[in-house]
Amino acid sequence: MTKALLDTNIIIHRESNRVSNQDIGILFKWLDRLNYQKCVHRISINEIQNYQNKNIVDTFNVKVDSYEILETNAPLSSDVKHVSDKIDVNSNDLIDTELLNEIFNDRTDILISEDKKMHVKADLLNIADRVYTINSFLEHIYSEYPELVDYKILSLEKVRM
């Protein structure tokens, strides 16, 4: 089973009462349809617990069991640490680095994140092909599995003259 690690921002998009990305539902539909294991790292859970919006925290706490929780951290790779030392400036950046380290160490297969800095670091680590935004993941799925995509096609009726 393919493991998809979901960044904190993806979980917040999913569990928020306010829709900030229209494609979040489509993302989860395809993850389910293709039997991806939806993973959340313990550091993301801890980050969400400290989130200022109590409604999101409460909603997430009810739904957390629908995710596979990664409880441990892979040892920080020297390559990942090197990139982190060059780019990271705050605690959120360090959390993102920990998530990238999980991909770098092959503990999960892909990572989905909307964080631009996360994608820059993935590129520097040569793992950009395994780190997706919501849209790039959907584009990948559509090109990889075109037979599963339900294209809406207007039917044409032949008109007699």
Side-chain angles (χ1 to χ4, degrees):
M1 179 176 284
T2 303
K3 291 184 176 184
L5 180 58
L6 306 174
D7 185 20
T8 308
N9 58 40
I10 298 297
I11 301 304
I12 290 171
H13 285 319
R14 174 68 172 175
E15 307 307 342
S16 176
N17 293 332
R18 187 178 57 85
V19 177
S20 56
N21 187 324
Q22 296 292 328
D23 291 331
I24 194 75
I26 298 168
L27 168 68
F28 274 72
K29 176 186 97 172
W30 279 103
L31 289 171
D32 288 339
R33 189 168 186 190
L34 296 172
N35 296 314
Y36 277 72
Q37 187 174 39
K38 295 180 289 296
C39 301
V40 177
H41 201 285
R42 174 58 62 188
I43 59 176
S44 292
I45 292 172
N46 294 342
E47 187 177 19
I48 291 170
Q49 296 304 323
N50 294 322
Y51 200 66
Q52 65 270 18
N53 185 325
K54 186 165 172 28
N55 289 333
I56 290 176
V57 174
D58 291 344
T59 301
F60 176 73
N61 286 335
V62 169
K63 297 179 181 178
V64 71
D65 289 337
S66 65
Y67 300 100
E68 181 70 27
I69 299 172
L70 302 178
E71 295 286 355
T72 60
N73 291 3
L76 192 64
S77 162
S78 61
D79 292 341
V80 174
K81 182 171 179 0
H82 178 73
V83 168
S84 175
D85 289 344
K86 291 194 316 189
I87 294 180
D88 293 347
V89 294
N90 59 42
S91 61
N92 288 339
D93 293 343
L94 294 171
I95 289 170
D96 293 344
T97 294
E98 289 288 339
L99 297 179
L100 277 170
N101 189 59
E102 298 299 312
I103 297 294
F104 191 81
N105 286 290
D106 297 321
R107 293 193 62 213
T108 62
D109 300 298
I110 66 169
L111 170 68
I112 302 174
S113 174
E114 294 293 295
D115 187 294
K116 288 180 172 76
K117 195 183 281 188
M118 179 93 77
H119 291 274
V120 169
K121 290 189 274 188
D123 192 43
L124 292 171
L125 291 166
N126 295 316
I127 56 171
D129 61 330
R130 297 173 55 204
V131 180
Y132 296 93
T133 63
I134 293 171
N135 287 336
S136 68
F137 178 77
L138 294 175
E139 288 171 9
H140 167 74
I141 293 302
Y142 295 159
S143 66
E144 197 73 21
Y145 303 98
E147 70 280 3
L148 297 178
V149 179
D150 182 25
Y151 294 102
K152 302 287 186 219
I153 300 175
L154 294 174
S155 63
L156 299 175
E157 189 175 309
K158 185 175 180 179
V159 178
R160 293 185 185 171
M161 298 207 181

